[in-house]
Amino acid sequence: MTDGRLQFFDEAQVRAALSYDDLIPTMRQALTDLSAGRAAQPLRTVMSVAAHTGWFAVMPAAYGGVMGAKMVTFYPGNADKGMHTHQAVIQLFRADTGEPLAIMDGRLITEMRTAAVSAVAVDLLAQPDAKVLGILGSGVQARSHVQALSRVRKFEEIRVWSRTEGNARRFAEEVGAQVTTAEEAVSGADVVLTLTSSPEPVLRGRWLKKDAIVCAVGAATPNRRELDDEAMRGAVVVESREAALREPGDILLAKAEVSAEIGELLQGKQLDRRDRPVVFKSVGIAIEDVASAKLVYDRISNGKR
């Protein structure tokens, strides 16, 4: 039982409690359990805030002895104001009694769990000797992905492209990357990340080599896409079929076929690559947030900072 006090954890406390070394295996297990039917997760509810060109979403799930919901906003225009495009809070409850446990800042959890999920996909699907990383985008997710992916592959070369060259150069200096065109970033790369808020494709399928893996992260609404139709003819892997067939423009606009959930592959299902690239289309799902929030709650409650 709880002592009746509802705890609040701010971003600094969340940052102190989370590490990719813990978060990556937590995401791997959560995705496996989702595909195995050991979690409850309805589709997110999304409300447009058209007057301010943004949206507000509620993402509930029950998993691992807890249940909760993330309330998240996405305002693409914030990037031009020097603000985060995503803001969020997560409310966590006990699953057996319904008692509220904690409210915590969800922005950093969203940032880190997204990159951790990509790391799970890269670890499973990228070539073991992958050496070249191509990144389209230079924002928060670009930075978090470089950190997370360093846990699963040792890249010898990182290439980056961004629509704003100054941002690309600052990011490249931080991570030791080379600034290139989008095509140069992708051509010959073993792993490609699309991490933009672009509503139109920034990656062309003809640029990809056949054994590449693309983590397509930036477009998660039906009217946005980062990959063209040719790229989406690769073997498409998703977190949740239900979400993938309702939410992301990359899949909906290309009428792409979903090959597998990543949780199915983690359980041993074989992926039919057919000598083509793999596209891991990530939309971000509630079980990832709830599992991450539980990790934060358990570590802080147990005094492990």
Side-chain angles (χ1 to χ4, degrees):
M1 301 289 288
T2 67
D3 61 8
R5 292 181 299 172
L6 182 61
Q7 300 183 74
F8 175 75
F9 306 140
D10 63 19
E11 183 169 313
Q13 291 172 291
V14 172
R15 188 179 300 277
L18 273 186
S19 73
Y20 285 114
D21 292 333
D22 292 331
L23 192 54
I24 291 170
T26 297
M27 294 299 95
R28 183 181 294 116
Q29 188 62 55
L31 292 164
T32 301
D33 288 339
L34 178 66
S35 292
R38 293 189 287 267
Q41 177 189 269
L43 284 171
R44 80 184 97 206
T45 299
V46 181
M47 180 180 76
S48 172
V49 190
H52 302 286
T53 321
W55 56 254
F56 171 74
V58 180
M59 302 168 60
Y63 171 65
V66 297
M67 58 189 179
K70 181 171 78 173
M71 290 167 283
V72 56
T73 62
F74 174 52
Y75 281 65
N78 281 3
D80 297 330
K81 303 173 184 176
M83 299 170 61
H84 289 296
T85 57
H86 290 77
Q87 310 278 352
V89 293
I90 299 172
Q91 171 77 67
L92 202 64
F93 300 81
R94 284 182 57 147
D96 57 349
T97 64
E99 294 172 271
L101 295 171
I103 300 172
M104 65 189 74
D105 185 274
R107 192 211 63 78
L108 183 65
I109 285 177
T110 302
E111 172 190 328
M112 291 184 67
R113 62 82 158 146
T114 303
V117 168
S118 293
V120 172
V122 168
D123 191 34
L124 181 68
L125 299 169
Q127 296 300 316
D129 60 349
K131 294 292 189 290
V132 180
L133 173 64
I135 304 175
L136 305 185
S138 59
V140 166
Q141 281 299 331
R143 289 164 171 81
S144 61
H145 272 72
V146 168
Q147 293 179 39
L149 266 59
S150 71
R151 270 61 172 189
V152 298
R153 291 294 186 276
K154 302 303 179 186
F155 295 105
E156 296 178 354
E157 181 182 356
I158 302 176
R159 310 167 187 163
V160 60
W161 167 86
S162 176
R163 287 171 294 177
T164 305
E165 186 174 349
N167 292 343
R169 295 200 176 282
R170 280 190 292 274
F171 170 61
E173 289 174 4
E174 290 177 24
V175 300
Q178 175 187 2
V179 178
T180 68
T181 65
E183 182 174 358
E184 289 167 342
V186 173
S187 298
D190 302 298
V191 178
V192 177
L193 308 175
T194 61
L195 306 166
T196 76
S197 59
S198 176
E200 299 177 350
V202 295
L203 185 150
R204 306 293 172 183
R206 66 177 183 273
W207 300 341
L208 292 166
K209 66 174 188 172
K210 291 181 179 179
D211 61 353
I213 173 175
V214 179
C215 292
V217 176
T221 55
N223 61 338
R224 289 177 174 269
R225 62 186 305 191
E226 295 183 295
L227 279 61
D228 70 359
D229 285 359
E230 183 175 348
M232 293 305 300
R233 287 198 288 270
V236 178
V237 179
V238 299
E239 300 144 299
S240 156
R241 274 191 181 84
E242 183 182 23
L245 296 176
R246 291 283 297 275
E247 297 179 348
D250 278 313
I251 290 175
L252 299 175
L253 297 175
K255 297 180 174 60
E257 177 185 350
V258 173
S259 298
E261 290 183 348
I262 190 167
E264 295 170 340
L265 302 178
L266 289 166
Q267 294 175 80
K269 178 179 177 177
Q270 295 300 304
L271 179 64
D272 180 12
R273 297 186 66 142
R274 281 181 280 171
D275 200 28
R276 55 184 173 157
V278 173
V279 175
F280 175 60
K281 179 55 205 170
S282 166
V283 297
I285 53 177
I287 190 175
E288 298 162 0
D289 298 304
V290 169
S292 300
K294 183 177 187 296
L295 181 60
V296 170
Y297 177 81
D298 287 346
R299 288 188 67 83
I300 293 178
S301 297
N302 294 330
K304 298 177 181 178
R305 305 289 178 111

